[in-house]
Amino acid sequence: GENVEQHPSTLSVQEGDSAVIKCTYSDSASNYFPWYKQELGKRPQLIIDIRSNVGEKKDQRIAVTLNKTAKHFSLHITETQPEDSAVYFCAASISGNTPLVFGKGTRLSVIA
Amino acid sequence: DTAVSQTPKYLVTQMGNDKSIKCEQNLGHDTMYWYKQDSKKFLKIMFSYNNKELIINETVPNRFSPKSPDKAHLNLHINSLELGDSAVYFCASSPQKAEEAFFGQGTRLTVV
């Protein structure tokens, strides 16, 4: 089955700096790659997703890139703010077929 | 008008007891899931239900059993609770298999 590796497990950045979180997946058939943000004590919520027919997607300060050949995808957050502090999860699945398989999460701390 | 709701939010119980967690979604989604989040924040798929049919059952102990009376509900029943079952359990739903998952608020289960 699918296996998703996520790095780093913790990340601290100064407010205003950029943050990058990287994930790799094992199943070349996977074609849907969402990113979730989980604030302390809250539920995971989708922040951005990308499908395998697209190499990059951007939404304001967040962007995701996908390299299908290398089987890795990354989350980029620019101009970080304290409210970006949370645990971020990447996930992968075969759309219409398998449930989401999550990476182990990255705890992002934005220091004011 | 919460999209995915689960009850109870907190559950404290003794080892050996049997307990259930309820989940309901009002989004009209076809697929529902149960995820377990342990103390290290790992999100692991437990069950996936599509149109009342169990389509994936990960290697969870058979003390755990999902029950779906209809498309909008997926309850989780746990027999003979063990200390290691302590975790946060999230219910989720998606329009179809492996699309964006909408999570409930979670149930924090503590076995003492």
Side-chain angles (χ1 to χ4, degrees), chain A:
Chain A
E2 176 64 275
N3 182 52
V4 178
E5 298 286 338
Q6 181 172 348
H7 299 280
S9 57
T10 60
L11 179 60
S12 291
V13 299
Q14 293 289 329
E15 182 177 1
D17 287 351
S18 296
V20 180
I21 303 170
K22 298 182 179 181
C23 289
T24 61
Y25 61 99
S26 61
D27 192 339
S28 57
S30 289
N31 56 7
Y32 177 62
F33 308 93
W35 286 87
Y36 284 78
K37 176 184 181 182
Q38 186 178 26
E39 296 177 351
L40 188 62
K42 300 289 182 64
R43 72 190 78 191
Q45 292 194 295
L46 181 76
I47 55 171
I48 196 168
D49 57 12
I50 192 168
R51 300 181 188 279
S52 58
N53 58 346
V54 175
E56 184 174 359
K57 185 176 179 180
K58 190 173 182 180
D59 183 4
Q60 299 182 344
R61 294 187 298 107
I62 60 173
V64 58
T65 59
L66 171 65
N67 183 326
K68 286 173 55 180
T69 302
K71 290 191 283 187
H72 69 69
F73 55 114
S74 300
L75 177 71
H76 304 252
I77 306 173
T78 59
E79 301 173 24
T80 53
Q81 301 167 3
E83 51 265 38
D84 294 329
S85 296
V87 178
Y88 291 80
F89 293 94
C90 62
S93 68
I94 304 171
S95 182
N97 193 347
T98 60
L100 297 176
V101 175
F102 286 87
K104 292 185 176 179
T106 296
R107 185 177 300 277
L108 174 64
S109 300
V110 180
I111 304 164

Side-chain angles (χ1 to χ4, degrees), chain B residues 43-109:
Chain B
L43 269 170
K44 185 175 179 182
I45 181 73
M46 299 178 70
F47 301 105
S48 176
Y49 251 78
N50 179 267
N51 286 331
K52 295 172 60 176
E53 180 183 356
L54 179 66
I55 55 174
I56 291 181
N57 182 343
E58 292 294 313
T59 54
V60 299
N62 57 15
R63 298 181 295 104
F64 291 79
S65 56
K67 298 187 190 302
S68 181
D70 54 57
K71 195 175 85 166
H73 296 83
L74 182 64
N75 304 323
L76 182 65
H77 189 76
I78 315 169
N79 290 328
S80 304
L81 278 156
E82 301 178 356
L83 293 176
D85 297 333
S86 297
V88 179
Y89 291 84
F90 284 100
C91 175
S93 72
S94 62
Q96 59 175 317
K97 287 177 270 186
E99 294 293 326
E100 175 188 353
F102 293 79
F103 284 83
Q105 76 273 31
T107 296
R108 181 174 294 278
L109 171 66

Side-chain angles (χ1 to χ4, degrees), chain B residues 30-46:
Chain B
D30 287 330
T31 305
M32 296 184 72
Y33 312 90
W34 278 104
Y35 282 87
K36 178 181 180 180
Q37 187 170 46
D38 61 22
S39 58
K40 294 183 178 179
K41 301 296 184 185
F42 301 158
L43 269 170
K44 185 175 179 182
I45 181 73
M46 299 178 70

